Structures are given as C-alpha cells and as structure tokens.
Amino acid sequence: MQPGSDTDLLVLRPLGGAQDDLVGVLPALEKVEPASFPPPTADDLGDQSSAGLLRSALRIGFRSGAGPFRSLAQLAVDPRSYQFVPLLMALRQETVRLLIADDVGIGKTIESGLIAAELLAQGEATGLAVLCSPALAEQWQEELRAKFGIETELVLASTVRRLERSLDVGESLFGRYPNVIVSTDYIKNPRHRDEFVRHCPDLVIVDEAHTCVPAATGSRDGRQLRYDLVRQVAMKQTADGQDRHLVLVTATPHSGKDESFRTLLGLLDPELETVELDTEAGRRRLARHFVQRRRADIRTFIGEETPFPKDRKSLEVSYKLSADYRKLFEAVLDYAREQALDESDGVVRQRVRWWSALALLRSLASSPRAAAQTLRTRAANLEATSKEEADALGRAAVLDLTDDDSTQVVDAAPGADTEDGTGGAPQQRLRRLAKQADALEGKADKKFTELTAIVKDLLKEGYNPIVFCRFIPTAEYVAEHLAAALGKNTAVAAVTGTLSPAQRESRVQRLVSGATADDIEDREPPERRVLVATDCLSEGVNLQEGFDAVIHYDLAWNPTRHEQREGRVDRYGQRRDVVRAVTLYGADNQIDGIVLDVLIRKHAEIRKATGVSVAVLDESDSVINAVLEGLLLRREDAEQLTLDFGVTSRRDDLHAEWVSAAEREKASRARFAQHAIRAEDVAREVAEVRAVLGSGGEVAEFTETALVKLRGQVAPAADGGFTADTAGLPSALLSGLEAVLGAKHARNIAFHPLPPVKRGEAALTRTDAAVGTIARFVLDAALDPKLDGWQRPARRCGVIRTRSVPKRTTLLLVRYRFHLYLPTRDGGRRQQIAEDARVLAFRGSPANAEWLTEDEALALLDARADENTAPEFARSTATRVLDGLDAIRPHLEQYGTDLADALRASHARVREAVGAIRRGLRVEAEPDADVLGLYVYLPITGEATR
C-alpha cells in the first residue's frame, strides 16, 4: 500500500513494480485483505543456483530502492561513477543552483537528467522545464523518456497552437503540462516570456547556457533576450513561495572570457558574480555550485574505467581544381570582384553585393551543385534597409557562426542574385555561369574524386564515416554520387536542414539499422555505411553508436565547428579506441590554406599544448575579412594570395590573444577544479547503491545462467558479452523479449557488457529492457508452482550438500519494506515507501541460530553441490527448518530496525550540507518481513557433524 491511500481509496503496487504499475482499489466495491507471502515449501525444491537466481531477479526488478537516491532503481541507464558527482552536489543544496561544465562527450545530459529524476522522485520538484535549441528539443525529449522515464511535452513555435487548443479558459500551458521541453528562441520573446516565468515549473535546466550570456556591447540581440529570460526564471519564486532549482549546462562556460563567466555564475547566485575567486573562501563558495572536468580527469575514476576513445587520428588531404573547374572559378571570381567593387546605389547595396560575392566563392569551393544554386538564387539580404541588417543576414548565410545570436545552424545555399528585376544582363550572366557549374558534376570535380578515395580507404579499414558539408545542395550531391561510386554493398544517406529533427534522427537510425522507410526492422544492418550531413548534425546529436570517423568535406571558417563535428563520434560510448578525422582542402585555393593555417591548425595546436579547447575569438573575423579583401578588392590571385597587406600582424595578434585566452581557461580549470565532492564520498555512495541494486557482474551472470536454464543457446562474444539464440525459450518470455527488442532481434540477441547499444541489442545492466524482462519472468515463475519445472530456474527452497560449510547452514532471502519520512523545503515531511532484499544466514537450528556476517552469507550464493542429496531426505530437512522459522523472527525484525537506522544515516550523509533539511528525517522498517527464499546447505557425508 502506497502513500496517499485512505479508507475510500487504496493505492497499491505489486512486488518489484514501478510507478507505472500503481493501481487504485475501492474497498467499498472490492474485498481487500492484508497480503503476505506464504513461506517457501519443501515440496518445491530447486538446485544450487536457485538462491542466486531468485535474489538477482528480485533485485533487478526493484523500482523503489531504500537508499538516498530514490530514482536510480527506475532508470534505464547505468550511470558511470563520475556522473554521480553533480547529483551529490545537488542533493547538498536546499535549492539546487548548479553549473555543469564538463567537456564535450562526458555526459552532461545524463548528469542533469539524474538530478531531474532524483528531485522529481523525492518530491523536491513537481515539474521540469528544459530550455534548449529547437533543433535539440526532440533529442532531449527522447533522452528523458527513454533513460529517465520522464514524459515531456515539446513547447516549440510549431507545437504551441496545438497544445493551447486543449487548455481551459484562463489556463496556462505550463500549468497543464508539468514537464516541458521549451525552445529557448521561442520563449525568449517578451510576448511569451512573461507567462512562462509566472507559471514555469520549479526545476529548470538550461542547455548550452553560454548562449544566454549577453554580448559585451549590451545590444538587445537574441543573447540578451535569453539572458533576461533565464535571469527572471532564477529570480522569481514559484507560486508557493519557493526558489526554483536551476541547472545550467555548457561545455564552454569560460573560454578565456572572465566577464562572461561571472555573468553566467550570476544567474545561479548574484553574489557569485562578484565573489573574490582569487581567495580560498571564494573558490570554496564557487565549488558548491560549479563542476567542470576534462575527459582525462574521469577516464579512470575510483577504479572504474570509462570507454572513451584513446586517440583521434587526424589527417589533412589536399586537392587541385580541374582545368574546367578552374576556368569557372576564374569567371566567378571576376564577377565577384566586380560586385565587391561596385559602390553604386549607396552603402547598403554595396554590403549586399559584398556578401553575395562571398556567398559565390564559398558555394563554388563547396561543390558545383551548391555554386549553381547560389547563382540562381536571390540574395537573402536583398531587402535589407540598413548596413547592419545587410551584414547580419550576410554573416548568417555565409560564415560559420557557432556562438552568435542564432542557435540554429544555417545550411541552405546562399543567394548571389542582387538584381531586383528579371532577365537583365547581370542575371543572364549568372545563369550562364550556373549552367557551367551544372556540367562540372562528377569526373570534372577533383574534390569529389579525392573524397571517394578517402571514403573507400576508411571503409576498407572498417570505419564508417560521416562526411560533413557546409551546404544542403553539396550534401545531396555528395550522397548521390557516393552511392553510385561505392556500389550497392555500402549504404549511403544524406541528412540536412530540410528535415525536421525527428526526421533526421529517423534517417540516421534507418541507415545504421539497415531498415527501409516503411519498416525499421526490415533488413540486416549494413556493415558498410556512410552518412553525409550538413552541420545540422554537428551539435548535440550522438552518432558514436553507428559511426567512428569524420571527413570535413567543406573547410569550416570556424574551428569550433570542426571540434563539434568530430565530437559527434569522439565521445563516451564510442567502441573504437581510435577515431579518424580527415580535413579536405583546396591546394590552389589559398583562402582554404589561410583558414587552415590561421584558424584550424592553430586551434588544434592550442588544444594540444594547453589541454583545453577555446572557441575562436571575435578578432578572427578581421583576419578572414583581410584575406577576402585581398582577394576581391586588391585583385590578388587566389593561388598566390599571401599574408601581406596587414594580415600577418592581424594573424599574430589573434594568435597571441587566443593563446592567452587558452591559458586563462587552463588556469581557470585548475583553480576551480571539482573539490566539493571527494572521490571517497562518491565511492562509498556508489558502492552502497550497487550493493542494493546489483553490480554489472551479477547482472551478467544472472542473465546468462537464466537463459541457459531456460533452454537458450549462449555463445561468448569478443567484447566480453555474449549472444543468445532464444528459439528454445518459454513462449511467454520470448513474447516479452519481442515486445522490447522487436520480433527479428529477439530471436538472436547480442548482449554487450555496457551501454550504449544499437537498436535491437541489449546491455548487461539491470535497467536494460531485455534484462528486466528476463528477471521479471524468473521471479514470476518462482512464485508460480503450476508452471512446468524447466520454466522455473529459480525456486524458493533448496537443500544441497557442499564442502563450503562445516555444519548445517541456512540461507534466507528476505524482503524488507521501509517507510521514509523525508523533510521538505517548506518545513513539511513527505512519506515514501521503499524496499530492499537481503541475504541472511545462520548455522545450526533456528532455535539455536549462530548468525553469519553479511559477507559470509553472500559467499554461500557461490557454493556448489559436491554430493547428491536424496529427495526425501532433502524434503524432510527443509521441513524441519521451515517449521522453526518463528524462532528467528525476532532477529529478522531487529535486522530490519538496524537497516532502517543505517538508511537514515545514509540519507543524512548525502544531505550533510543542508542541516535544516536533515532535521525530521525518519526511516521505519515495516514489521513482518517476507521470507521469499530458504536454502539449506549441508556438509558432505562424513566430513562434519550436522
């Protein structure tokens, strides 16, 4: 019976059930009696493995563990030890205010999701809002649903109208839906912001929080609006007078800009914006709210290895234009120069023409198809009414912005047509150039020829690459021609901004799984696959499960973009020790050469020297502009363009400031390293969690043993897991596996030691759906004596002879239930129910029991039968022990009381920094613990006295 029950309505949950299994019963309509498990019976004896199987099945099925982490038993993810650190930091705050700034690929989504799941499970939060880019909203929704069991609604510009149709008069959207994923760029608008601030949930996670820091200019741009939004959310209390929990998430909180870093900290607590961080007291103050770790810091953490790639092998490959492509390039360059030098019609039109000229050059360097589309497309900033508007539109279309006003990637090919009319001489010239570009597709495109060779080499080495392109037409062109060049044995797909986020994810999944658009279970996964994508997939999307190499087909004009692309495969969960990165650039296109030298290589050099990755500084624009001015305004030859006319000094100034920023970032990380939580504290709590819920080794042993006993065929795999042919399994279990894995995959299951796993495969963790299905079947079968014996690998009673004991020893599997009374921020207490399974053992008879230590009792689970036991003798032995159970009841009750005291101490320890919250914490054991299993171990004949 659960909290919230009364005389009119009982809220009930089955053994091992989750919140979704809750049912309501009306005593007035249905007869309700106290339930208790009958004791095990001597007529249903199992073998030597029965006790371990039943214990593991019970523990795997727990969904409400009694420890201080209330949510962990319900999660479909097995957190790494280092990912508990932000959670422990959060639980030591009365109102959670935390900046999680771990490096790319470490798992910030998991860390923030753990905090959200725990606060919701404890009742410390009643709802959740995640503020993120609209491009990442669906990914956040899926991560929270699949891994944390948190169902959310998407609040985007495209969904709001549908959601509002179901509201009552005067009802707020954020009052109706407690858990929401909200587009930051939609909700930042003051027309929407004020309602959100009034009604938003009491827990808010802000993704890519660095984009919510205003620019130094103080202009009312998107960054300022995001800052105003988050600041108001942080400052305004909820309807019941409580401060909101706020978790900020970013991999780049500092980047060498101290002012921006302090502004970000000020969102958590205004005092942090001015605290003296050079003092020990200031750093201790910050440490309570800030966690930032590099991959090297946590690769090995409290003895646990995390499978990150050990190396990223990078290669630069050059190409030269064909004669025909070179001829077109020169013709386009002449046109671009004319446009850039044309000062007629005022400064606004001149800036429109300038950006159109740059658009032409970028598109032509990208691909013939991108060039042709740009030549045929109207310039995006043609309607600009000011120089500033023309520049803003031009920058978004041509440059590679990663930290600007827009949080969404622009991958459409820019336009170059700057004429208002149609059919004039300039437009006819553009059309002729476009036809020349059309004719260059295929063999005349040496860049694509070089790409084909690179891809074939990577595929031959067993890699599955992602080819990143700048523009949509280029990605479509490359995918089309690669598919023809690689043949039917290699699957190729393109993902661009023409697809919605859900469609992008679906297309990637189909490519990895080998499915068609109609059926994701349709075919075997292709061994060779190539994904061609624009930068719509370069941020926030996890591609490490299906891909392990990145090719930069188009050189980005911002090294951060390169880092983001490579970060899609070089992250936690990548199974390859070495990932590959190839950068393709034009040897006779000196713009590429200078961008490569000034930006890309310098970024890599700084990262290698300092160990940190710092975004390119704003001053890089001046270097790029100087290069382009030399090409267009000074008529320098593209192949001979050098770092003259002032570019050298600008480059040197940029590099000096960039190195200085990196050194400041490195120093910042050293000064503010995570010291709020000690490693031994994490080790202790993680050990207690896994002792209650089961270790990975226990889960793997249980799964393999259960499948073999249920007539599955198991074969070891190279990664330490195994594959299971399930054709012989009981039909009920097979149906359950088909429901979670799909009919095709359930027939031959690949079990891997660790997540993440591909669709249709399983991880040997307690939260994996396939493992949970097997555990539930074993537990239910043990409680159902009517099933055929072979379908019941676990039994509730057993008698074996073994050399592991000197005299008769009895092992008990006991389920305890607890009432938790958890203090709340408002001074009240919240009641919850939890359960735990414990193994106890005693030597001798129940009346004269000599109790073993916990370790001695657990060791009995590994005891093996060394001699046969006559069935009749086994039954009589079990009966004698079962008849004496009442004699040990006082010990079981005292053990439960001791467990409750230990649990209270554990809860208090985790919350040690919140004294007010700790007061009033209480844990009580439910009387009459359930003896679910009883197993008697006898010494072999003649070796000892029974």
Side-chain angles (χ1 to χ4, degrees):
M1 189 165 64
Q2 302 294 298
S5 299
D6 55 35
T7 55
D8 297 322
L9 175 66
L10 301 181
V11 182
L12 307 177
R13 189 185 66 201
L15 173 66
Q19 287 297 111
D20 291 343
D21 300 316
L22 291 176
V23 296
V25 175
L26 299 173
L29 302 180
E30 300 181 64
K31 184 179 180 180
V32 179
E33 297 177 340
S36 62
F37 280 96
T41 172
D43 295 326
D44 188 29
L45 300 179
D47 61 18
Q48 62 189 15
S49 64
S50 290
L53 283 172
L54 183 58
R55 174 177 179 262
S56 295
L58 183 63
R59 281 147 57 91
I60 290 171
F62 278 161
R63 292 296 179 266
S64 57
F69 305 113
R70 302 286 296 133
S71 65
L72 294 187
Q74 304 177 44
L75 305 184
V77 62
D78 191 10
R80 311 302 293 170
S81 295
Y82 70 82
Q83 291 175 327
F84 282 91
V85 170
L87 175 59
L88 284 168
M89 293 175 65
L91 293 181
R92 293 183 178 184
Q93 300 179 28
E94 182 172 344
T95 298
V96 177
R97 293 295 172 97
L98 198 61
L99 172 55
I100 302 176
D102 287 340
D103 272 355
V104 172
I106 283 180
K108 294 183 293 298
T109 302
I110 297 292
E111 292 169 342
S112 55
L114 278 174
I115 294 171
E118 189 61 32
L119 294 180
L120 291 169
Q122 291 187 13
E124 283 299 317
T126 58
L128 166 68
V130 176
L131 299 177
C132 65
S133 160
L136 300 180
E138 292 181 17
Q139 181 179 330
W140 265 100
Q141 183 183 47
E142 177 59 20
E143 289 275 307
L144 291 174
R145 184 199 64 78
K147 294 179 178 176
F148 302 98
I150 302 174
E151 297 291 344
T152 60
E153 287 288 345
L154 296 178
V155 181
L156 313 173
S158 59
T159 66
V160 165
R161 185 167 296 178
R162 172 181 59 82
L163 294 174
E164 288 179 338
R165 282 198 294 265
S166 64
L167 300 180
D168 296 330
V169 176
E171 185 180 22
S172 168
L173 175 65
F174 305 104
R176 167 67 66 90
Y177 302 105
N179 301 323
V180 289
I181 312 293
V182 185
S183 163
T184 309
D185 284 336
Y186 169 78
I187 211 68
K188 73 185 180 187
N189 189 307
R191 290 186 296 117
H192 312 304
R193 179 191 65 204
D194 294 342
E195 181 194 355
F196 175 70
V197 171
R198 283 195 303 271
H199 300 285
C200 88
D202 46 7
L203 169 58
V204 178
I205 297 173
V206 182
D207 191 22
E208 302 295 340
H210 61 278
T211 66
C212 299
V213 176
T217 60
S219 62
R220 300 296 298 177
D221 60 5
R223 296 172 64 87
Q224 180 68 44
L225 291 174
R226 291 188 210 107
Y227 172 75
D228 292 342
L229 165 68
V230 178
R231 184 172 59 85
Q232 291 188 39
V233 165
M235 292 176 58
K236 189 173 180 62
Q237 292 185 325
T238 62
D240 57 359
Q242 297 291 325
D243 291 331
R244 287 190 174 91
H245 303 293
L246 180 64
V247 179
L248 305 180
V249 180
T250 174
T252 54
H254 194 281
S255 293
K257 301 175 182 177
D258 189 64
E259 181 181 353
S260 297
F261 180 52
R262 285 186 171 274
T263 302
L264 195 60
L265 294 176
L267 291 173
L268 300 175
D269 183 347
E271 292 184 8
L272 287 174
E273 193 164 355
T274 57
V275 70
E276 285 292 334
L277 298 178
D278 290 329
T279 66
E280 184 63 27
R283 288 193 292 271
R284 282 200 304 269
R285 172 72 185 277
L286 174 62
R288 294 197 294 269
H289 302 276
F290 179 57
V291 56
Q292 182 179 40
R293 295 163 297 178
R294 296 171 300 170
R295 188 178 298 185
D297 300 329
I298 49 83
R299 186 184 295 276
T300 301
F301 185 75
I302 58 174
E304 181 180 69
E305 290 283 339
T306 298
F308 291 112
K310 292 182 172 59
D311 191 18
R312 183 192 303 178
K313 185 177 178 182
S314 299
L315 178 69
E316 294 176 0
V317 178
S318 66
Y319 67 91
K320 283 200 171 186
L321 299 175
S322 67
D324 288 341
Y325 212 125
R326 181 70 184 180
K327 182 178 178 181
L328 175 63
F329 185 89
E330 291 172 351
V332 168
L333 183 58
D334 286 341
Y335 176 81
R337 282 171 172 161
E338 292 174 15
Q339 291 291 298
L341 291 168
D342 186 352
E343 298 181 358
S344 63
D345 301 328
V347 66
V348 175
R349 295 289 294 182
Q350 184 182 19
R351 297 307 296 171
V352 169
R353 286 189 287 268
W354 167 258
W355 288 110
S356 298
L358 297 190
L360 262 179
L361 293 179
R362 286 219 72 178
S363 296
L364 187 59
S366 180
S367 70
R369 190 171 297 182
Q373 182 160 323
T374 295
L375 288 161
R376 293 187 174 104
T377 303
R378 181 180 172 89
N381 58 354
L382 188 58
E383 304 300 329
T385 57
S386 67
K387 175 180 178 295
E388 291 73 22
E389 183 182 3
D391 286 343
L393 292 171
R395 282 170 53 84
V398 178
L399 301 183
D400 298 316
L401 308 179
T402 60
D403 191 25
D404 213 289
D405 188 30
S406 174
T407 60
Q408 298 187 68
V409 172
V410 178
D411 57 1
D417 186 349
T418 61
E419 299 300 314
D420 291 324
T422 58
Q427 290 173 324
Q428 291 179 13
R429 184 178 177 185
L430 290 178
R431 300 298 181 268
R432 288 195 299 271
L433 292 174
K435 288 182 179 180
Q436 292 180 45
D438 290 334
L440 293 176
E441 290 194 7
K443 292 182 179 180
D445 184 2
K446 298 303 181 184
K447 180 182 180 183
F448 175 77
T449 302
E450 192 62 50
L451 171 70
T452 304
I454 295 170
V455 171
K456 287 182 177 180
D457 287 344
L458 287 172
L459 291 172
K460 186 177 180 180
E461 294 178 36
Y463 284 89
N464 293 299
I466 306 172
V467 181
F468 276 106
C469 306
R470 176 62 176 84
F471 300 117
I472 293 171
T474 300
E476 294 173 344
Y477 159 71
V478 167
E480 176 186 324
H481 286 264
L482 266 183
L486 299 177
K488 63 181 181 180
N489 292 327
T490 302
V492 180
V495 174
T496 70
T498 59
L499 304 176
S500 70
Q503 290 172 325
R504 297 170 200 170
E505 182 179 355
S506 176
R507 184 167 292 185
V508 171
Q509 287 180 354
R510 292 201 304 272
L511 175 62
V512 173
S513 68
T516 66
D518 298 324
D519 184 1
I520 200 145
E521 304 287 347
D522 189 60
R523 291 188 283 134
E524 288 297 321
E527 293 186 6
R528 295 156 51 103
R529 55 185 172 271
V530 180
L531 173 63
V532 183
T534 63
D535 287 311
C536 70
L537 286 186
S538 69
E539 293 185 79
V541 181
N542 301 327
L543 300 171
Q544 72 274 18
E545 293 180 33
F547 305 93
D548 41 32
V550 165
I551 302 171
H552 303 285
Y553 187 71
D554 288 329
L555 197 65
W557 287 6
N558 188 326
T560 302
R561 182 71 73 202
H562 276 225
E563 186 70 20
Q564 289 170 339
R565 292 171 175 178
E566 294 171 15
R568 297 311 96 208
V569 300
D570 188 3
R571 60 195 303 111
Y572 168 61
Q574 174 59 253
R575 294 183 183 172
R576 274 197 179 268
D577 283 340
V578 179
V579 296
R580 298 287 299 276
V582 181
T583 299
L584 194 59
Y585 71 98
D588 50 357
N589 174 1
Q590 199 61 21
I591 296 177
D592 272 7
I594 291 177
V595 169
L596 191 66
D597 181 58
V598 173
L599 300 181
I600 308 300
R601 289 174 181 154
K602 190 62 179 180
H603 181 264
E605 176 188 321
I606 291 173
R607 186 183 65 222
K608 183 177 181 180
T610 64
V612 297
S613 179
V614 176
V616 64
L617 304 180
D618 296 338
E619 289 81 356
S620 66
D621 281 356
S622 67
V623 178
I624 296 298
N625 283 335
V627 172
L628 296 172
E629 287 174 6
L631 179 66
L632 297 178
L633 303 183
R634 295 175 177 81
R635 295 184 177 274
E636 298 282 343
D637 186 275
E639 194 167 2
Q640 300 300 318
L641 192 62
T642 60
L643 288 170
D644 294 331
F645 45 83
V647 177
T648 302
S649 61
R650 296 188 194 186
R651 178 202 62 184
D652 292 345
D653 290 344
L654 168 66
H655 285 181
E657 179 55 31
W658 204 353
V659 170
S660 176
E663 292 294 344
R664 291 195 299 271
E665 172 72 0
K666 182 180 179 180
S668 168
R669 295 194 181 200
R671 289 167 63 204
F672 310 137
Q674 196 291 118
H675 295 305
I677 303 294
R678 296 174 300 176
E680 52 266 34
D681 293 342
V682 180
R684 178 175 54 193
E685 304 305 337
V686 170
E688 288 194 7
V689 166
R690 290 175 177 169
V692 172
L693 301 180
S695 66
E698 178 188 342
V699 172
E701 183 178 0
F702 162 80
T703 306
E704 184 173 2
T705 302
L707 288 172
V708 170
K709 285 183 170 293
L710 291 166
R711 301 182 180 177
Q713 301 294 319
V714 172
D719 65 353
F722 57 85
T723 58
D725 183 338
T726 61
L729 296 183
S731 58
L733 175 55
L734 189 55
S735 296
L737 292 171
E738 289 176 348
V740 297
L741 296 175
K744 180 186 69 173
H745 298 296
R747 297 291 174 171
N748 197 330
I749 307 173
F751 287 91
H752 298 284
L754 293 171
V757 295
K758 299 176 183 176
R759 181 182 294 272
E761 298 180 346
L764 291 168
T765 60
R766 65 180 309 279
T767 53
D768 183 86
V771 171
T773 299
I774 296 168
R776 176 57 66 91
F777 180 87
V778 170
L779 179 60
D780 291 346
L783 301 173
D784 185 2
K786 296 179 182 179
L787 283 178
D788 290 342
W790 73 271
Q791 298 189 40
R792 304 178 63 227
R795 305 292 178 90
R796 297 183 62 198
C797 196
V799 178
I800 66 169
R801 289 191 181 277
T802 177
R803 290 189 174 88
S804 301
V805 297
K807 61 187 296 187
R808 187 177 75 186
T809 304
T810 302
L811 181 78
L812 303 172
L813 178 59
V814 185
R815 183 187 75 148
Y816 287 95
R817 285 169 291 179
F818 303 93
H819 294 273
L820 309 179
Y821 299 90
L822 305 177
T824 59
R825 290 193 294 168
D826 59 5
R829 282 197 303 181
R830 184 178 299 104
Q831 183 184 0
Q832 296 183 338
I833 292 178
E835 56 191 341
D836 194 358
R838 291 287 170 153
V839 172
L840 291 78
F842 63 88
R843 295 190 182 100
S845 68
N848 297 289
E850 176 189 342
W851 292 95
L852 276 63
T853 66
E854 182 177 1
D855 288 341
E856 290 173 327
L858 290 171
L860 289 175
L861 294 173
D862 297 323
R864 294 294 177 259
D866 295 312
E867 186 177 282
N868 292 332
T869 306
E872 188 57 40
F873 177 76
R875 279 193 292 273
S876 64
T877 300
T879 299
R880 287 198 304 273
V881 178
L882 286 166
D883 289 344
L885 278 182
D886 287 344
I888 63 171
R889 280 291 173 185
H891 180 87
L892 299 184
E893 297 302 314
Q894 183 58 49
Y895 190 88
T897 300
D898 293 343
L899 269 181
D901 291 341
L903 286 169
R904 185 198 179 282
S906 181
H907 278 266
R909 185 173 63 244
V910 167
R911 294 160 176 79
E912 66 181 14
V914 193
I917 291 293
R918 272 172 35 191
R919 289 192 289 273
L921 173 66
R922 197 165 88 242
V923 182
E924 296 177 354
E926 180 80 11
D928 301 322
D930 296 313
V931 177
L932 296 182
L934 183 147
Y935 309 91
V936 182
Y937 298 82
L938 302 173
I940 64 173
T941 306
E943 285 203 1
T945 302
R946 294 190 296 277

